[in-house]
């Protein structure tokens, strides 16, 4: 994938994320990209340079994996743990987590068995697509 194709793919993924309400993932990518790549110059001096289109696309792909795919896979592992542990056999279909930190007042983080099961296959499909794009990035032809 050449630089122009990487830029077009980046813009398309960015647009999709915005369309489905994942503005915060786009914001994370934009913030990281705006800082630039820190490089060492003249011994100990540090400088920033702009990311290439390939590097920008890789950053966005990694953030999509971390924020969408990894979240679903972690939730699946949590459900498997509770399902396979007889000490928790009487749990209903929801698992709720709360913060011990008083400053955080965002309520509970819930994992719903049915929700995780319904999005597991699409998350794995997304992961395969992102891996394919990553392979194409490395293929300069």
């Amino acid at each position: 994938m050449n630089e122009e194709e990487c830029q077009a793919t980046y813009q398309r993924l960015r647009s999709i994320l915005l369309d489905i309400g994942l503005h915060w993932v786009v914001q994370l990518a934009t913030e990281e990209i705006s800082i630039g790549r820190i490089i060492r110059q003249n011994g100990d001096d540090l400088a920033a340079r702009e990311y290439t289109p390939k590097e920008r696309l890789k950053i966005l792909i990694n953030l999509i994996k971390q924020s969408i795919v990894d979240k679903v896979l972690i939730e699946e592992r949590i459900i498997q743990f509770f399902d396979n542990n007889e000490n928790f056999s009487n749990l209903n279909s929801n698992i709720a987590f709360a913060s011990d930190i008083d400053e955080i007042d965002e309520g509970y983080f819930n994992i719903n068995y049915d929700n995780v099961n319904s999005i597991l296959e699409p998350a794995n499909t997304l992961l395969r697509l992102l891996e394919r794009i990553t392979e194409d990035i490395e293929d300069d032809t």
Side-chain angles (χ1 to χ4, degrees), residues 20 27 32 49 59 75 103 138:
I20 62 173
Q27 182 179 356
E32 184 171 337
R49 70 158 176 80
I59 287 169
E75 289 176 356
E103 297 86 44
E138 301 304 326

Side-chain angles (χ1 to χ4, degrees), residues 47-65:
R49 70 158 176 80
E50 278 190 33
Y51 283 106
T52 67
K54 285 184 180 187
E55 291 169 330
R56 288 192 292 266
L57 181 54
K58 286 179 182 181
I59 287 169
L60 184 59
I61 287 171
N62 286 333
L63 287 169
I64 293 169
K65 285 180 185 177

Side-chain angles (χ1 to χ4, degrees), residues 56-112:
R56 288 192 292 266
L57 181 54
K58 286 179 182 181
I59 287 169
L60 184 59
I61 287 171
N62 286 333
L63 287 169
I64 293 169
K65 285 180 185 177
Q66 292 169 9
S67 59
I68 300 170
V69 177
D70 290 352
K71 175 190 174 291
V72 174
L73 297 177
I74 289 169
E75 289 176 356
E76 179 199 23
R77 293 299 188 301
I78 291 169
I79 288 173
Q80 286 175 350
F81 170 79
F82 284 111
D83 277 349
N84 295 328
N85 190 322
E86 60 187 52
N87 293 327
F88 301 104
S89 62
N90 61 349
L91 290 177
N92 61 20
S93 63
N94 290 303
I95 300 171
F97 296 91
S99 173
D100 288 340
I101 302 172
D102 292 334
E103 297 86 44
I104 299 177
D105 189 26
E106 296 180 17
Y108 293 94
F109 172 74
N110 289 303
I111 298 176
N112 178 285

Side-chain angles (χ1 to χ4, degrees), residues 16-68:
I16 290 169
L17 291 169
L18 293 172
D19 288 347
I20 62 173
L22 293 174
H23 299 83
W24 61 275
V25 177
V26 173
Q27 182 179 356
L28 287 172
T30 301
E31 288 172 3
E32 184 171 337
I33 290 167
S34 70
I35 294 170
R37 184 177 186 109
I38 306 300
I39 56 172
R40 192 172 294 275
Q41 280 186 331
N42 302 326
D44 292 331
D45 294 335
L46 297 178
R49 70 158 176 80
E50 278 190 33
Y51 283 106
T52 67
K54 285 184 180 187
E55 291 169 330
R56 288 192 292 266
L57 181 54
K58 286 179 182 181
I59 287 169
L60 184 59
I61 287 171
N62 286 333
L63 287 169
I64 293 169
K65 285 180 185 177
Q66 292 169 9
S67 59
I68 300 170

